[in-house]
């Protein structure tokens, strides 16, 4: 059996990647058990992170993601409306380390994340829902409105 390294090297440790994946999945699905599991792992490493931060660079990113509010962004569009790339470009125009984006043509497939459930496109437009803990602002259906909502995010 090969021992597992906790510290990050040239690549993040597998444990750090797993902890981040659990946080992302929790944000996409609303599963608090996954978030708690990741946070418990971070708790066991807190002293090492403080004492040796350069050895745990990705772990620190995981820690930062865990303590800051996550911006959940759901993007839906009618299947025959190909305009969604412009909306994705607007979302990612600015670095957003605490944002997660899920997108799909409507209706979303059965395996789509919970973040997309019950968030249909408005009219025949690409629609963006910006949420936190699955509570969403008014949906944006224009790039100008999306830009305005994104500017209010931290």
């Amino acid at each position: 059996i090969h021992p597992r390294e906790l510290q990050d090297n040239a690549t993040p440790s597998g444990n750090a990647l797993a902890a981040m994946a659990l946080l992302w999945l929790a944000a996409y699905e609303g599963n608090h058990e996954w978030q708690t599991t990741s946070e418990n792992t971070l708790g066991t490493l807190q002293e090492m992170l403080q004492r040796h931060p350069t050895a745990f660079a990705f772990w620190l990113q995981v820690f930062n993601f865990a303590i800051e509010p996550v911006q959940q962004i759901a993007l839906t569009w009618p299947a025959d409306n190909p305009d969604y790339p412009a909306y994705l470009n607007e979302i990612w125009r600015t670095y957003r380390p605490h944002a997660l984006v899920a997108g799909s043509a409507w209706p979303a497939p059965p395996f789509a994340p919970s973040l997309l459930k019950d968030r249909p496109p408005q009219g025949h437009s690409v629609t963006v829902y910006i949420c936190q803990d699955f509570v969403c602002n008014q949906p944006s259906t224009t790039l100008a409105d999306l830009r305005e909502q994104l500017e209010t995010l931290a």
Side-chain angles (χ1 to χ4, degrees), residues 4-153:
R4 304 269 188 249
E5 284 292 328
L6 282 179
Q7 36 184 109
D8 298 318
N9 291 304
T11 58
S13 79
N15 290 319
L17 290 169
M20 183 62 102
L22 284 172
L23 290 174
W24 287 338
L25 287 169
Y28 280 123
E29 294 295 333
N31 185 322
H32 295 290
E33 278 184 46
W34 294 338
Q35 183 171 346
T36 300
T37 300
S38 183
E39 289 172 353
N40 288 343
T41 302
L42 285 166
T44 63
L45 296 172
Q46 188 171 353
E47 185 179 328
M48 284 192 292
L49 295 175
Q50 289 174 327
R51 294 176 89 182
H52 309 286
T54 57
F56 296 94
F58 193 78
W59 277 110
L60 290 171
Q61 290 179 39
V62 176
F63 185 80
N64 183 262
F65 192 86
I67 63 172
E68 293 293 325
V70 175
Q71 301 148 359
Q72 300 161 308
I73 302 174
L75 180 75
T76 59
W77 60 90
D80 60 348
N81 186 333
D83 296 336
Y84 69 92
Y87 289 77
L88 281 172
N89 288 338
E90 186 61 38
I91 291 166
W92 292 122
R93 187 172 54 88
T94 302
Y95 178 59
R96 301 181 192 290
H98 299 104
L100 291 172
V101 178
S104 174
W106 190 260
F111 54 82
S114 296
L115 181 57
L116 292 175
K117 304 288 189 232
D118 301 321
R119 292 188 174 80
Q122 304 292 304
H124 194 69
S125 301
V126 175
T127 304
V128 181
Y129 297 83
I130 298 176
C131 315
Q132 188 173 334
D133 293 326
F134 289 87
V135 176
C136 303
N137 297 341
Q138 287 291 344
S140 299
T141 56
T142 66
L143 284 170
D145 186 38
L146 175 60
R147 219 173 273 123
E148 187 176 308
Q149 282 199 40
L150 290 171
E151 286 174 6
T152 65
L153 298 178

